[in-house]
Amino acid sequence: MPEFIINTDDNVYVPAEDSYLLADNLEIEYGMSVLEIGTGSGIVAMYASRLTDNITVTDVNFDACELARKNFQANNIENIEILFGNLFEPLENRKFDVILFNTPYLPTEEGEVIDDTLNYAFDGGLNGRKVIALFLNELKSHLNDGGIVQMIQSSLSGNEETLAKLDELGFMAEIKASEHFFFEDITLINAYKV
């Protein structure tokens, strides 16, 4: 795949292995509506824009929204709507066919929290599930029947808990791909709303 022009910002997560694990495994067909939560630099949405032209992204970090806009412009991508806000907050009752989220999954002690907007990108709370739990609780009301969720998390933040919660919500969920790094596995979980 040809590379994109990627501008970076000190206040925004720089695309890393987890970003590309998601970008390389997108299950999107043309015409599907796509939501990416926590777009950061916009890299995953840019890959998605090759597959469909109905994409919305959100980020709780205003600097990320501005950086994504800059990156979309630099790559002549015009079909992505950018909304500032936390998780599903700016979307009201809208629903999508595909929801993507590279979650903030790192277990974070109080002393590890950084006083910076970059903290949003990785701070998963004490057990790594603070944001994941909020996301899963709202997920069903924003996904169309037959839709798919593709989310990245770490083995440190409880893959089995996520799979169990998705099962409880009526999804068919699986670990679709994973990569091992040092002391953890970064996993891509696909969940289908049946």
Side-chain angles (χ1 to χ4, degrees), residues 3 9 37 82 168 181 184:
E3 288 300 308
D9 181 308
I37 302 275
I82 304 168
E168 182 188 309
F181 297 100
E184 66 181 326

Side-chain angles (χ1 to χ4, degrees), residues 99 135-150 162-174 189-194:
I99 297 177
F135 171 72
L136 293 175
N137 284 338
E138 292 186 64
L139 180 59
K140 211 167 178 182
S141 56
H142 292 281
L143 190 67
N144 288 325
D145 290 341
I148 178 175
V149 178
Q150 296 190 274
T162 298
L163 292 170
K165 178 65 176 176
L166 286 163
D167 184 57
E168 182 188 309
L169 290 168
F171 286 86
M172 290 189 54
E174 63 178 347
I189 294 175
N190 280 3
Y192 305 88
K193 186 176 179 183
V194 289

Side-chain angles (χ1 to χ4, degrees), residues 102-120:
N102 183 358
T103 68
Y105 52 70
L106 284 182
T108 309
E109 302 277 339
E110 200 172 305
E112 297 171 317
V113 173
I114 56 174
D115 185 24
D116 194 302
T117 52
L118 186 60
N119 193 69
Y120 291 125

Side-chain angles (χ1 to χ4, degrees), residues 18-20 22-23 26 28 36 39 41-49 55 100 102:
D18 50 1
S19 312
Y20 291 101
L22 181 53
L26 295 174
I28 299 169
E36 185 193 9
T39 195
S41 67
I43 185 65
V44 172
M46 288 192 278
Y47 277 89
S49 75
I55 301 171
L100 310 170
N102 183 358

Side-chain angles (χ1 to χ4, degrees), residues 24-156:
D24 290 340
N25 288 283
L26 295 174
E27 292 196 13
I28 299 169
E29 292 174 18
Y30 187 76
M32 286 180 162
S33 57
V34 176
L35 168 65
E36 185 193 9
I37 302 275
T39 195
S41 67
I43 185 65
V44 172
M46 288 192 278
Y47 277 89
S49 75
R50 294 175 167 166
L51 305 171
T52 193
D53 59 6
N54 184 356
I55 301 171
T56 299
V57 299
T58 69
D59 208 297
V60 66
N61 177 352
F62 188 75
D63 293 327
C65 292
E66 290 304 301
L67 180 62
R69 181 175 284 109
K70 185 176 173 183
N71 282 328
F72 299 156
Q73 287 171 347
N75 291 281
N76 299 310
I77 298 169
E78 299 172 354
N79 62 338
I80 301 177
E81 174 189 29
I82 304 168
L83 299 174
F84 170 61
N86 191 26
L87 297 172
F88 298 101
E89 205 174 63
L91 297 160
E92 296 176 359
N93 299 321
R94 291 172 62 187
K95 289 189 171 195
F96 299 85
D97 299 317
V98 180
I99 297 177
L100 310 170
F101 192 18
N102 183 358
T103 68
Y105 52 70
L106 284 182
T108 309
E109 302 277 339
E110 200 172 305
E112 297 171 317
V113 173
I114 56 174
D115 185 24
D116 194 302
T117 52
L118 186 60
N119 193 69
Y120 291 125
F122 67 85
D123 182 357
L126 286 175
N127 63 359
R129 299 193 57 79
K130 177 177 73 175
V131 179
I132 292 170
L134 293 170
F135 171 72
L136 293 175
N137 284 338
E138 292 186 64
L139 180 59
K140 211 167 178 182
S141 56
H142 292 281
L143 190 67
N144 288 325
D145 290 341
I148 178 175
V149 178
Q150 296 190 274
M151 59 184 285
I152 297 285
Q153 71 169 72
S154 161
S155 55
L156 299 176

